[in-house]
Amino acid sequence: MTVLSIQRRAMGRPPTLHTSYRQTFRLWRGKEWAWLLAGITVAVLWPFIVNAFWLHLSNLALIAVVATVGLNLLSGNARLVSLGQAAFLAVGGFAAGILGAQHGFPFWVCLLTAAVAGALVGILVGVPSLRLKVVYVAITTLALHFAITTMVSIYQVEAVRAHGIVMPIPDLGFVKLGDSRPWFYFLLVVTVLVILAALNIQRSYLGRRWIAVADHEVAARSAGINIAGAKLWAFAISSAIVSLAGALGAYYEGVLTAETYDIQLAIVYLAMIIVGGVGSVLGSVLGAVLLTLLPYMLDFAMKAGGIALSGGSLNGIHSIAYGALILLFLLFEPLGLAAIWYRIRNAGMLWPLKYTPLEAKR
Amino acid sequence: MLGAGLPAGPVRPAQGASIQQLTTVLGVAGIYALLATGIVLVYRTSRVVNLAQGHLAILCAFFVAALLAAGYHWAAALPATIAVGCVLAAVIYFAVMRRIVGEPPFVGLMATVGIAILLRGVMVVAFGGVTITTQPLLSGSVSLFGADLSATHVLVAVAAWLLVGVIVAINHFTSIGLFMRATTDNVILAAQRGVNIDRIVCLAWVIAVCAAAAGGFLHSQRALVSTAAILIGVSALIAALIGGMDSFRGAVIGALAVAVSEYFVLLHFEARYADLAPVALMLVILTIRPWGLFGTPEEVERV
């Protein structure tokens, strides 16, 4: 783990000379204006370039990015593997559903409450995890998964007596999010804010001590780090972000059903951080986008290839693809797509000089 | 979990009902114990927690059912499945687990998650939407202590506990078991004394997958099996954790505790809460004793 995280941090950093910590940790190097401009242009034009289906996929991907960034803080940075991702999404979704759809609270209140509820549940789960390590944390969060999904499905049956809760159309005051287009801009803003928050947390004391605790708990403790505090903050922040994504997802889908949140969903999110890059915000984005699109790409490819399968079998094919991707990345590129990008970028920055990244011997 | 197919609905208050219940619980516990011993064996030799145990079990159950449905006699179908299980275990070990030796536990855990979801996909594609009932090997009923017991339930309970006994006996009384225990105690010293770690860990996987196959088959003898039944793996994992990941005794006690708690909630409360009972039990036990009932405290530090 130590080797991996040293390698990860070394690769994430551009191969340039830094003479102060300030330089090393800064997010804005003052040379990204072109990138920023290009990004904004593409983002503004995007809903007008692509058709409705792709816009829908983009929105799904943005929601997945928020959720994955949240998960990656917990499972990637603090190395507390969470199988409870679906449960945290359900907490957010149902907090929004209960408040927004059942009691008519405004959109903003519901989003904030969803995040707070997620943080509280996260802390609740975090407490028994304090004495436990990786595997046990995974199982505790798996326990949480069963507890939460049972509770929400009972709520759905008892309180709603229907197959799902119909969510209201969110009203931002100046615009209603009824169509994919306003949704896209709204989700884009939220996603960018969450990404910036995550990047900032990662370089702050809060995030750096997660890495320290994950690398070596005893060493971290002897360096004066409050282990319990670090882990609880990881749970709280991560689950707040994930629950926010859950609430966004519920509003975006329009209908909230307990069956959405199955264990498969939790595993797909773990696949996203492994494929994207464990502990990397860029990795979260890449992994979330790729794996959100993957099922649609597979379906498309099979349709093009003339293979007709029933819906259930397609679901099985998606499962196989997720599993194979997890295994392939674990075995051959454990730092994920982010590492591939860093390698390309570093080589590009130093060209025509040769660059040998700090590769750990495996 | 409930995929275990405890009979839903009220239990008939017939004569000897308590003995019937006992047989049912023992059967379910036996299946959990069988899977849990597999998990413990793999954990002891390689410190990898196998989250795919339930998937392996149900995949093998489907395989047996497919062979039986194709007209093969069960005396041919069972050995064929065991053979497939052995090959599967070897593939899992040499293609995946062998390559991530020495990586942090996070990687091993994620690898088994990957295997699990891969197997689930294979199952859904091959047997999706199918619910199987294997023809019971025994029919009729057995009279025991004045109770009429279904012969299948008795067979399941007896066979499962017998196989658990066999695995534990292999570990305790054979030379291979000695090597396995040496690997558990200290991998490096064992390797230096000439224990072929590769072979031992591979063998542990083979035994674990065979245990899973047997558990899956026995499960399909007593309950309807669909892809949802992979959740018996979660029950087995909870059993192993309650007992302590590195203890066979713990796995057995844990399996009994899980089965009893599920059945208790099923009888006295509602069926939909039955999944939660073992989970709650596990959380309580892990909060008090993070290393489980019979585990070694240092293990918590390792994973």
Side-chain angles (χ1 to χ4, degrees):
Chain A
M1 187 174 300
T2 320
V3 172
L4 276 186
S5 38
I6 291 171
Q7 194 183 353
R8 179 181 73 218
R9 268 166 267 153
M11 292 192 91
R13 210 152 282 155
T16 45
L17 178 66
H18 293 169
T19 49
S20 69
Y21 281 122
R22 238 186 127 71
Q23 272 183 327
T24 309
F25 282 117
R26 68 189 170 183
L27 292 179
W28 182 260
R29 284 181 296 132
K31 295 174 185 167
E32 289 95 341
W33 287 109
W35 286 104
L36 187 69
L37 211 63
I40 290 177
T41 320
V42 171
V44 168
L45 292 180
W46 185 253
F48 300 96
I49 302 171
V50 296
N51 61 24
F53 177 67
W54 276 94
L55 194 57
H56 171 65
L57 283 190
S58 316
N59 287 343
L60 290 184
L62 285 174
I63 295 170
V65 166
V66 174
T68 313
V69 167
L71 177 68
N72 217 341
L73 290 179
L74 181 68
S75 299
N77 288 73
R79 289 292 167 117
L80 298 162
V81 178
S82 165
L83 284 168
Q85 176 79 353
F88 287 121
L89 287 170
V91 167
F94 272 81
I98 292 168
L99 286 180
Q102 306 287 91
H103 296 286
F105 279 91
F107 183 53
W108 290 112
V109 177
C110 296
L111 283 194
L112 284 179
T113 321
V116 173
L120 289 179
V121 175
I123 291 173
L124 208 64
V125 169
V127 171
S129 310
L130 289 181
R131 293 176 69 188
L132 305 173
K133 289 259 175 137
V134 180
V135 170
Y136 289 85
V137 173
I139 307 300
T140 322
T141 48
L142 185 67
L144 170 87
H145 170 84
F146 286 111
I148 297 280
T149 46
T150 308
M151 280 199 285
V152 295
S153 56
I154 288 173
Y155 174 82
Q156 186 175 312
V157 172
E158 298 283 323
V160 194
R161 297 200 178 283
H163 294 298
I165 301 175
V166 179
M167 302 294 293
I169 291 175
D171 190 353
L172 297 184
F174 56 95
V175 62
K176 280 195 174 203
L177 299 179
D179 192 25
S180 300
R181 225 169 252 177
W183 260 115
F184 176 79
Y185 292 122
F186 175 71
L187 288 175
L188 192 68
V189 171
V190 174
T191 310
V192 168
L193 287 178
V194 167
I195 287 175
L196 287 178
L199 283 173
N200 243 328
I201 289 170
Q202 276 192 348
R203 61 184 195 139
S204 69
Y205 170 63
L206 195 61
R208 282 180 289 144
R209 69 178 177 171
W210 291 343
I211 297 170
V213 172
D215 279 357
H216 204 296
E217 208 170 298
V218 177
R221 188 179 291 147
S222 56
I225 289 172
N226 176 358
I227 308 266
K231 286 186 177 176
L232 285 183
W233 270 111
F235 266 107
I237 291 176
S238 154
S239 20
I241 296 176
V242 174
S243 295
L244 177 72
L248 288 173
Y251 270 108
Y252 181 71
E253 294 286 344
V255 183
L256 177 65
T257 50
E259 290 75 33
T260 322
Y261 305 104
D262 57 357
I263 191 69
Q264 176 92 356
L265 187 67
I267 295 178
V268 170
Y269 272 100
L270 279 178
M272 287 178 188
I273 67 167
I274 287 175
V275 169
V278 173
S280 147
V281 173
L282 174 71
S284 314
V285 177
L286 294 177
V289 171
L290 180 74
L291 286 202
T292 310
L293 299 184
L294 180 75
Y296 298 94
M297 299 293 103
L298 279 177
D299 293 358
F300 181 74
M302 286 204 291
K303 208 176 280 172
I307 307 167
L309 285 174
S310 66
S313 298
L314 281 179
N315 182 290
I317 299 276
H318 300 161
S319 263
I320 293 176
Y322 291 135
L325 275 179
I326 291 181
L327 290 178
L328 289 177
F329 272 90
L330 273 183
L331 292 178
F332 300 111
E333 190 64 85
L335 299 173
L337 292 172
I340 297 178
W341 160 245
Y342 289 139
R343 220 174 286 140
I344 295 172
R345 181 199 63 181
N346 292 351
M349 282 174 81
L350 290 180
W351 193 85
L353 299 174
K354 257 203 173 151
Y355 172 65
T356 323
L358 179 61
E359 293 271 15
K361 292 278 175 293
R362 283 169 58 77
Chain B
M1 311 249 83
L2 249 206
L6 289 164
V11 177
R12 278 162 302 152
Q15 201 205 348
S18 57
I19 300 208
Q20 280 179 356
Q21 288 172 11
L22 190 69
T23 325
T24 309
V25 172
L26 274 181
V28 174
I31 292 169
Y32 291 165
L34 202 48
L35 265 65
T37 4
I39 294 175
V40 167
L41 191 62
V42 167
Y43 178 81
R44 278 170 65 101
T45 45
S46 60
R47 309 282 156 204
V48 167
V49 176
N50 181 9
L51 289 182
Q53 190 77 341
H55 298 71
L56 290 163
I58 301 306
L59 185 65
C60 292
F62 271 122
F63 193 73
V64 178
L67 285 181
L68 290 177
Y72 290 96
H73 192 257
W74 63 264
L78 289 188
T81 309
I82 293 295
V84 169
C86 294
V87 173
L88 193 60
V91 168
I92 288 176
Y93 178 67
F94 284 107
V96 183
M97 292 305 161
R98 178 70 189 81
R99 292 159 169 270
I100 55 170
V101 169
E103 298 277 352
F106 166 82
V107 177
L109 187 74
M110 286 316 302
T112 61
V113 168
I115 293 171
I117 193 167
L118 188 71
L119 291 179
R120 180 190 171 277
V122 171
M123 240 183 292
V124 170
V125 171
F127 311 102
V130 179
T131 305
I132 54 165
T133 39
T134 44
Q135 198 66 35
L137 296 183
L138 298 177
S139 55
S141 59
V142 181
S143 244
L144 209 64
F145 304 115
D148 263 353
L149 302 173
S150 140
T152 305
H153 282 195
V154 175
L155 171 78
V156 167
V158 171
W161 286 109
L162 207 63
L163 285 172
V164 171
V166 167
I167 294 175
V168 175
I170 288 178
N171 193 63
H172 278 275
F173 301 120
T174 64
S175 58
I176 289 185
L178 183 68
F179 294 157
M180 282 179 178
R181 278 178 287 143
T183 313
T184 308
D185 284 345
N186 192 324
V187 185
I188 295 172
L189 278 185
Q192 283 174 346
R193 298 301 292 171
V195 175
N196 187 342
I197 304 291
D198 240 8
R199 216 182 65 192
I200 290 301
V201 180
C202 181
L203 207 62
W205 270 98
V206 166
I207 295 177
V209 174
C210 289
F217 172 69
L218 291 176
H219 181 50
S220 71
Q221 282 277 299
R222 57 178 306 288
L224 299 176
V225 167
S226 66
T227 46
I230 48 184
L231 287 176
I232 58 170
V234 177
S235 290
L237 189 65
I238 290 175
L241 281 165
I242 286 178
M245 282 305 290
D246 58 340
S247 157
F248 288 113
R249 198 180 352 160
V252 167
I253 303 286
L256 283 170
V258 168
V260 168
S261 66
E262 274 179 9
Y263 202 61
F264 179 80
V265 172
L266 198 63
L267 277 188
H268 295 278
F269 300 96
E270 283 179 70
R272 59 189 179 189
Y273 295 118
D275 283 357
L276 291 182
V279 167
L281 184 68
M282 177 194 72
L283 283 183
V284 170
I285 289 179
L286 286 191
T287 310
I288 302 168
R289 280 173 76 90
W291 48 90
L293 294 177
F294 296 94
T296 22
E298 295 78 41
E299 284 307 317
V300 178
E301 287 301 314
R302 289 207 220 183
V303 290

